[in-house]
Amino acid sequence: ILNVEQSPQSLHVQEGDSTNFTCSFPSSNFYALHWYRWETAKSPEALFVMTLNGDEKKKGRISATLNTKEGYSYLYIKGSQPEDSATYLCAPRTGGGNKLTFGTGTQLKVEL
Amino acid sequence: DTAVSQTPKYLVTQMGNDKSIKCEQNLGHDTMYWYKQDSKKFLKIMFSYNNKELIINETVPNRFSPKSPDKAHLNLHINSLELGDSAVYFCASSRTGENQPQHFGDGTRLSIL
């Protein structure tokens, strides 16, 4: 069973703060790493798909980095806004057929 | 203009019954998936179909049978429902190929009485 760990489990920040969280996964047999954002009462929404060691992706105020050799990825949010409140899931691709193994996520709450 | 839609949204039924959850996508994707969100909130892959062909089949009781009448639909049929089947089931779709982002439906909450 693939062990995907995300930390912290939950996070409260103030509006305007920058924050980051971690996804750890086994570095062997790495194919790709997905990040998803999941707002309450909605469905998970794809943020990034990262494949190369050292990869960095950016979407607005959200960015992610990838270290495949040591098996981790960081997600950064700059200047957090209340609308960033959501659970952020990472999922390494663990096999053919685009098979993903999800972590339990980091629940972010941004307060005014 | 919903991209991935699942019906019903909620399903409450008795133990031992047979039920189906339907999923449809209008994104033109060739690959569809079923996930189960378990009690610890993990999203776990159950099945994946590409162009009506089974690609991923995880260790799932054979009471669960996916059916794909065409590439835009992937339905999940569950026989002889058990208490442990209570969960939220998510359908997703993606383009064919590895490393494609997946697009999720809103989930179906199944409750077994």
Side-chain angles (χ1 to χ4, degrees):
Chain A
I1 297 173
L2 192 72
N3 198 20
V4 181
E5 292 185 359
Q6 291 190 245
S7 61
Q9 244 181 348
S10 65
L11 194 52
H12 283 66
V13 301
Q14 297 293 314
E15 183 181 11
D17 287 351
S18 292
T19 187
N20 65 84
F21 20 95
T22 309
C23 171
S24 301
F25 51 88
S27 54
S28 56
N29 297 320
F30 175 82
Y31 295 100
L33 193 280
H34 292 229
W35 278 102
Y36 287 81
R37 174 191 143 92
W38 194 355
E39 286 182 71
T40 304
K42 294 190 177 179
S43 52
E45 174 199 345
L47 285 173
F48 306 115
V49 179
M50 308 173 79
T51 56
L52 299 174
N53 185 43
D55 222 359
E56 183 168 342
K57 299 257 180 174
K58 193 172 178 186
K59 189 175 185 176
R61 293 178 292 99
I62 305 177
S63 60
T65 59
L66 179 66
N67 183 322
T68 60
K69 292 188 190 312
E70 295 179 44
Y72 65 83
S73 175
Y74 293 136
L75 190 83
Y76 301 91
I77 303 179
K78 190 176 173 184
S80 303
Q81 299 295 310
E83 57 265 30
D84 295 329
S85 297
T87 296
Y88 292 83
L89 298 170
C90 72
R93 179 165 79 83
T94 55
N98 209 20
K99 178 181 167 182
L100 302 181
T101 299
F102 281 86
T104 47
T106 293
Q107 190 174 16
L108 174 68
K109 187 162 171 64
V110 183
E111 290 158 347
L112 294 168
Chain B
D1 60 342
T2 307
V4 181
S5 59
Q6 299 178 223
T7 52
K9 232 180 147 133
Y10 301 95
L11 186 50
V12 182
T13 190
Q14 302 274 356
M15 214 163 52
N17 283 351
D18 302 339
K19 288 291 177 187
S20 291
I21 307 172
K22 294 186 176 182
C23 180
E24 176 182 3
Q25 53 92 9
N26 62 6
L27 294 165
H29 291 163
D30 292 320
T31 306
M32 295 184 73
Y33 312 80
W34 274 109
Y35 287 86
K36 179 180 179 181
Q37 186 184 22
D38 65 18
S39 54
K40 294 183 180 177
K41 305 294 183 187
F42 280 105
L43 272 174
K44 288 187 175 174
I45 183 74
M46 299 172 70
F47 302 103
S48 166
Y49 269 72
N50 177 267
N51 267 322
K52 303 195 296 174
E53 185 185 336
L54 183 65
I55 301 295
I56 297 172
N57 186 0
E58 289 296 283
T59 309
V60 174
N62 57 15
R63 297 181 296 103
F64 289 77
S65 52
K67 286 183 174 48
S68 182
D70 56 61
K71 70 177 191 178
H73 295 83
L74 181 63
N75 303 324
L76 184 65
H77 189 76
I78 316 170
N79 286 330
S80 305
L81 280 157
E82 298 177 359
L83 289 175
D85 297 333
S86 295
V88 184
Y89 293 85
F90 287 89
C91 176
S93 72
S94 73
R95 291 183 181 161
T96 296
E98 308 297 0
N99 307 333
Q100 295 294 329
Q102 296 179 17
H103 298 252
F104 284 80
D106 289 338
T108 295
R109 183 173 292 276
L110 174 63
S111 300
I112 311 301
L113 303 177

